[in-house]
Amino acid sequence: ERIPPMLRAKTWPVREVAGLLFVYHSHRAEDRSKPPLFELPALEEITSGRLIHRGRHEFGELRMHLLEFPENGPDTAHFGPLHSKMTLPWTQIRMPFVEIDHQARWDTDPDEAHVAHFDNKATLKIFGRLVPRSGASARMTFIGPGGLGILRISIPDMGDVLILETHTPVAPLRVNVGLRWFADPKMPRLLVSYVVGNWVSQLTADMRIWERKAYNERPMVVENDGPVHRLRNWYRQFYEPRPAA
């Protein structure tokens, strides 16, 4: 009738979303009996079958802080020098005479404090000229401190691709990164692979920086650097207050 404290099993809240298991982890014993501070979205387009599972990709373990993933969004100044060159999907091989024009924006969600969004309209430029019909819109939704990102890519007249990007901390400055993607059943396999492969190419370029950059608690930014300080203020909600000196 009474279980001694040293024999009680530790438990954490668990949720299943789109075939993935998520654990709301807390190192403090008093928090384990409380509900999570936020819930994960239901992803109705997947549960209803409108979008079906089309593939997965594992990047493996990276040397990075979890913060780097959500902080990439408001760092809009890096899109020109790092992501404007078109590469072959799934590679870092640049395509000559083809560039990408990015119109990026990051903001918090007005209704859910634990959610932030990164919106990007990408349009191809061939020999320096914009090709309006090549445009595609993407929204990355950051859930919580960055363990889960939900990327929705809309292609006019073709449909949507939804990518679940998971960043799972496994040790200090060690994060496992993986992708699962879903798309309309009628969307051609090659088109889905092209869309996801472009994202993988762009993400790989970011990862080279994430694994080498140093964290600066008070970064010097100028007006065109993007709302990095707003991201930092938003991110602090996921940390315990520092103890008084």
Side-chain angles (χ1 to χ4, degrees):
E1 294 182 358
R2 189 183 72 84
I3 301 176
M6 71 283 296
L7 299 181
R8 295 174 186 170
K10 298 177 181 179
T11 62
W12 289 270
V14 176
R15 301 289 186 269
E16 182 178 352
V17 177
L20 296 172
L21 289 177
F22 294 87
V23 178
Y24 187 87
H25 182 274
S26 175
H27 66 282
R28 298 190 305 181
E30 61 269 24
D31 285 348
R32 294 179 190 140
S33 61
K34 299 178 182 178
L37 294 177
F38 56 86
E39 288 291 345
L40 299 176
L43 299 179
E44 182 275 335
E45 58 266 69
I46 294 177
T47 56
S48 67
R50 184 174 71 84
L51 303 180
I52 63 171
H53 182 262
R54 302 291 294 270
R56 60 183 289 178
H57 179 74
E58 300 292 338
F59 289 96
E61 187 175 299
L62 302 181
R63 182 190 176 276
M64 58 178 281
H65 193 286
L66 189 61
L67 170 67
E68 303 295 355
F69 174 45
E71 190 161 285
N72 191 71
D75 180 20
T76 53
H78 86 281
F79 279 82
L82 189 64
H83 298 306
S84 64
K85 302 297 183 182
M86 185 69 177
T87 60
L88 290 174
W90 304 95
T91 75
Q92 295 297 295
I93 302 173
R94 292 187 172 182
M95 300 175 61
F97 314 116
V98 183
E99 298 180 342
I100 307 174
D101 178 73
H102 293 278
Q103 299 179 28
R105 180 177 180 271
W106 177 91
D107 207 348
T108 56
D109 191 290
D111 300 317
E112 298 180 286
H114 64 280
V115 175
H117 301 286
F118 168 74
D119 294 288
N120 185 35
K121 173 71 179 296
T123 307
L124 293 183
K125 293 174 66 177
I126 301 178
F127 291 102
R129 289 190 174 187
L130 283 174
V131 184
R133 291 182 61 84
S134 68
S137 298
R139 162 168 276 200
M140 171 66 80
T141 299
F142 300 96
I143 309 297
L148 172 64
I150 303 170
L151 177 64
R152 289 178 171 87
I153 302 174
S154 298
I155 303 174
D157 304 322
M158 296 301 296
D160 297 335
V161 177
L162 187 150
I163 302 174
L164 298 182
E165 184 172 331
T166 54
H167 291 237
T168 307
V170 294
L173 293 179
R174 290 291 186 273
V175 178
N176 271 330
V177 181
L179 302 179
R180 307 289 187 277
W181 55 91
F182 304 77
D184 189 301
K186 298 179 180 179
M187 189 174 288
R189 183 181 299 273
L190 284 177
L191 177 59
V192 175
S193 179
Y194 173 82
V195 171
V196 176
N198 272 301
W199 178 250
V200 170
S201 295
Q202 301 293 336
L203 197 59
T204 300
D206 283 318
M207 289 175 176
R208 291 178 174 179
I209 296 176
W210 293 348
E211 288 201 297
R212 291 166 174 81
K213 65 181 288 195
Y215 177 78
N216 190 335
E217 189 169 356
R218 294 179 176 84
M220 293 184 291
V221 298
V222 295
E223 184 178 359
N224 293 334
D225 280 335
V228 176
H229 287 300
R230 284 189 56 215
L231 178 282
R232 295 275 180 95
N233 290 333
W234 173 80
Y235 202 82
R236 287 190 183 97
Q237 67 180 301
F238 305 114
Y239 283 85
E240 297 179 16
R242 291 184 177 181

